[in-house]
Amino acid sequence: MEGINNRKVAVVGCGFVGSASAFALMESGLFSEMILIDANHDKAEGEALDISHGLPFAKPMQICAGDYKDISDAAIVVVTAGAGQKPGETRLDLVKKNAGIFKSVIPQIAEHNREGILLIVANPVDVLTYAAKKYSGFPENRVFGSGTTLDTARLKYLLGQHLEVDSRSVHAFIIGEHGDSEIAAWSSANVSGIPLNDFCEMRGHFNHEEAMERIAEGVKNSAYRIIEKKGATYYGIAMSVRRICEAIIRDEKTILPVSCIQHDNHGISDVALSMPAIIGKNGVEGMAPISLSENEEKKLQASAKALKDVIDDALEQDC
Ligand code: NAD
């Protein structure tokens, strides 16, 4: 990418999620420059100072509060600006408020940075990814959302606990909406190539239906539980942002379930949702086909429809 500095990242929105992501990115050693932007400039300055004071224990880099003109050469712009869920609120409840914020933020990014990758994190992330594509005019491969990368991490963590195995050896995806209609793709789940049910039985678990339902519900309700207890979720998503940025900057061709606009994927088009995708220096470089059971397929169609209805309702006049 010409005119782009592969060692530079920007974070727009420095609340719980933006500041935790900035901290994780500082620790990653992936970048030598990071610009923090927030409507509250003092907040961005405070976070830049606080995070910079950890640099003697990490790797050298410049971390500054800035403005959109400072991000013209950033390889990745992480967008977390937007209100978070309050206790009892769903992600889709945030749509009007945060679509309004995106309508002002995304064109300002696109005015100054034409070649970077937009990584959308604010919720509802699928709807805002769709909006960001429209408001930026960027090619689709360079606008995608963290999607169900976090939900998938939660699934791997819970399965790892259940089966007493390293969660990195668990291969399973949450797909669809990052939200209430998400789907655990159980039919393709495995532990290092061993079909999930076989591994469960090796570990003395035989009640598969009950366990799958309990774990999938646990994943889906994670954010609600955390928000009820501490007001916001941010460490898990910060690590997800770090992982996605790593896959881009190192051109890893890693498969991650990010949210991107679909084209006849299981018959789904013109809606952003999460399916396993190949992530490298050009952003989303392709989709990794996943086979689904009939029931998973049905749930995926329902998830796409739920999202499409919200997009049509909230964004139609604008996009
Ligand atoms: P927060 O309220 O702590 O922070 C939001 C920040 O955005 C604030 O600092 C605010 O000043 C800033 N902001 C608002 N409007 C802005 C604008 N126009 N320009 C620049 N900055 C602006 O909220 P949070 O807890 O950090 O959550 C941020 C978003 O991330 C929420 O939408 C939340 O739901 C979402 N989130 C997503 C995931 C995920 O998996 N995708 C996980 C957790 C949270």
Side-chain angles (χ1 to χ4, degrees):
M1 288 179 282
E2 228 175 283
I4 282 295
N5 176 355
N6 223 23
R7 289 274 174 203
K8 181 165 174 178
V9 66
V11 179
V12 179
C14 299
F16 289 118
V17 173
S19 58
S21 298
F23 179 71
L25 291 172
M26 178 275 274
E27 279 221 295
S28 74
L30 283 168
F31 299 100
S32 50
E33 202 178 343
M34 176 158 59
I35 304 292
L36 305 184
I37 297 179
D38 197 284
N40 175 352
H41 189 73
D42 279 347
K43 174 85 167 103
E45 274 192 336
E47 296 297 354
L49 281 173
D50 195 5
I51 295 169
S52 296
H53 296 164
L55 285 170
F57 309 109
K59 296 196 171 72
M61 69 184 291
Q62 292 295 322
I63 305 172
C64 303
D67 206 335
Y68 292 100
K69 64 179 174 0
D70 302 315
I71 67 168
S72 58
D73 56 347
I76 305 174
V77 182
V78 181
V79 189
T80 79
Q85 290 164 263
K86 301 210 168 58
E89 252 186 341
T90 71
R91 294 178 180 89
L92 291 180
D93 288 335
L94 299 171
V95 71
K96 287 257 149 71
K97 223 180 311 179
N98 289 352
I101 291 175
F102 265 49
K103 204 173 174 184
S104 103
V105 163
I106 300 294
Q108 294 187 74
I109 297 172
E111 184 189 334
H112 292 91
N113 181 320
R114 294 304 306 164
E115 293 179 59
I117 287 174
L118 290 183
L119 174 56
I120 308 304
V121 178
N123 275 321
V125 68
D126 305 292
V127 179
L128 294 182
T129 296
Y130 189 93
K133 159 73 186 88
K134 301 289 175 189
Y135 295 148
S136 66
F138 279 19
E140 285 177 9
N141 60 303
R142 289 200 280 113
V143 187
F144 57 96
S146 57
T148 55
T149 304
L150 172 59
D151 315 66
T152 294
R154 288 171 172 155
L155 176 66
K156 290 182 182 192
Y157 166 74
L158 288 179
L159 277 171
Q161 293 280 300
H162 180 63
L163 299 172
E164 294 178 78
V165 69
D166 184 345
S167 56
R168 294 171 304 176
S169 299
V170 176
H171 301 285
F173 288 110
I174 299 283
I175 56 171
E177 179 198 355
H178 168 58
D180 294 343
S181 69
E182 69 187 28
I183 301 110
W186 291 119
S187 62
S188 59
N190 66 83
V191 179
S192 284
I194 304 167
L196 190 61
N197 286 356
D198 293 354
F199 197 90
C200 285
E201 290 175 13
M202 271 171 55
R203 291 302 216 194
H205 297 294
F206 295 90
N207 198 349
H208 304 312
E209 288 295 321
E210 182 277 325
M212 285 192 295
E213 196 180 324
R214 178 168 44 78
I215 289 170
E217 283 300 302
V219 171
K220 196 191 299 180
N221 295 325
S222 291
Y224 293 121
R225 280 192 66 203
I226 298 168
I227 288 166
E228 217 174 271
K229 288 178 189 293
K230 58 176 261 190
T233 79
Y234 36 93
Y235 295 124
I237 183 60
M239 290 300 284
S240 308
V241 166
R242 171 188 163 149
R243 181 71 193 98
I244 296 167
C245 288
E246 184 178 47
I248 298 167
I249 294 303
R250 300 189 69 251
D251 193 21
E252 288 182 356
K253 322 289 188 201
T254 296
I255 295 179
L256 291 168
V258 297
S259 181
C260 55
I261 297 179
Q262 303 294 317
H263 292 285
D264 199 14
N265 194 358
H266 292 263
I268 294 165
S269 293
D270 199 34
V271 64
L273 51 69
S274 291
M275 296 296 275
I278 302 166
I279 307 297
K281 68 176 188 304
N282 300 308
V284 173
E285 299 189 352
M287 303 307 293
I290 184 174
S291 57
L292 300 174
S293 69
E294 207 176 302
N295 189 30
E296 291 163 354
E297 186 78 45
K298 235 187 258 168
K299 288 183 177 168
L300 180 64
Q301 302 300 330
S303 187
K305 175 157 187 339
L307 283 169
K308 205 155 179 17
D309 288 349
V310 177
I311 288 171
D312 288 348
D313 184 45
L315 306 175
E316 201 175 20
Q317 294 99 347
D318 294 331
C319 292

